[in-house]
Amino acid sequence: MTPPRYCLFDLDGTLTNPETGIVRSMQHGLSAMGLPEVDHATLRASIGPPLQDVFSRLGVEDVDAAVVAYRERFTEVGMYENEVIPGIPAVLDALVADGWTLGVATSKPAVFAEKILEHFQLDGFFTYVAGATLDGSRRYKADVVRHALDVLGATPEATVMVGDRREDVAGAAECRVRTVAVRWGFGEPDEFTAPEVISVVDTPEALLTVLRETARPAA
């Protein structure tokens, strides 16, 4: 298989820890719909899949209105209740220095992802930020990954995905892209058992090592 030289990163739980901002904004959306508060652990476990799907699973009838309420708070303050995963900037810097082309592939609307990356000074590492559309017409990870590959001109064989949830693994696999899963995000161990997972890593340093190994030509 062709050694990858393109790497797509998930955002939430992979590059940054957005738990506080997302959970509080979900609570705001639920409250706006007159629904009772949901426990923090349940909402934390919901970080990753498309927001429309999350609210639907939580029993919201008017999903579109809940999303609007969520985004009101998220746009004002929630997106900044966030922090970069320690060690990630060094990984990105090393990959760019090694000649990789980096992109972001997130189920978060691209307009929010771009602002978050710029705020935390990560935007300069990425050639393209692929995300969901605000109207939800593109929101599933496979569609986002496919869009990123098209824009970057990357083949699946030359690309690897880095993510923290089963949606990252499954979405990339649908596009014939392999995944390195990270344990510092929101996923559980059983989310990373698919054959398309190259490796599961515990630290950014280990992530860099694995990516460099995948890029080494076969002997």
Side-chain angles (χ1 to χ4, degrees), residues 12-199:
D12 294 338
T14 301
L15 296 174
T16 72
N17 179 1
E19 181 175 341
T20 298
I22 289 181
V23 169
R24 289 177 177 173
S25 297
M26 285 181 181
Q27 293 285 22
H28 181 76
L30 292 169
S31 177
M33 296 299 99
L35 295 173
E37 186 168 302
V38 174
D39 67 276
H40 185 100
T42 296
L43 295 182
R44 182 188 187 279
S46 299
I47 297 174
L51 186 61
Q52 293 91 339
D53 295 359
V54 171
F55 277 135
S56 180
R57 285 199 294 268
L58 291 172
V60 175
E61 292 186 6
D62 192 343
V63 169
D64 290 341
V67 169
V68 169
Y70 170 96
R71 287 176 178 166
E72 287 173 352
R73 187 189 185 281
F74 188 77
T75 301
E76 182 178 348
V77 64
M79 73 171 75
Y80 307 117
E81 295 172 321
N82 199 346
E83 58 185 11
V84 177
I85 303 296
I88 280 295
V91 171
L92 302 177
D93 190 52
L95 291 173
V96 171
D98 286 353
W100 289 69
T101 297
L102 307 183
V104 170
T106 174
S107 295
K108 182 184 298 302
V111 63
F112 296 143
E114 290 167 354
K115 290 179 180 178
I116 290 166
L117 293 167
E118 181 179 3
H119 178 78
F120 290 105
Q121 299 181 330
L122 297 177
D123 54 314
F125 295 112
F126 297 103
T127 299
Y128 186 67
V129 178
T133 53
L134 286 173
D135 65 3
S137 58
R138 182 176 67 236
R139 68 175 185 266
Y140 294 110
K141 188 54 66 86
D143 295 328
V144 173
V145 170
R146 193 173 294 111
H147 175 64
L149 295 176
D150 288 344
V151 172
L152 292 172
T155 64
E157 296 78 14
T159 306
V160 63
M161 177 80 200
V162 178
D164 70 310
R165 296 303 309 263
R166 72 172 78 250
E167 287 80 9
D168 300 314
V169 175
E174 190 173 326
C175 300
R176 297 182 291 110
V177 172
R178 296 166 292 164
T179 300
V180 176
V182 303
R183 286 197 179 100
W184 58 77
F186 302 104
E188 298 296 331
D190 64 357
E191 299 184 31
F192 309 137
T193 58
E196 294 84 5
V197 177
I198 299 170
S199 182

Side-chain angles (χ1 to χ4, degrees), residues 1-20:
M1 184 172 285
T2 304
R5 301 305 296 179
Y6 294 86
C7 190
L8 302 177
F9 284 84
D10 175 52
L11 178 56
D12 294 338
T14 301
L15 296 174
T16 72
N17 179 1
E19 181 175 341
T20 298

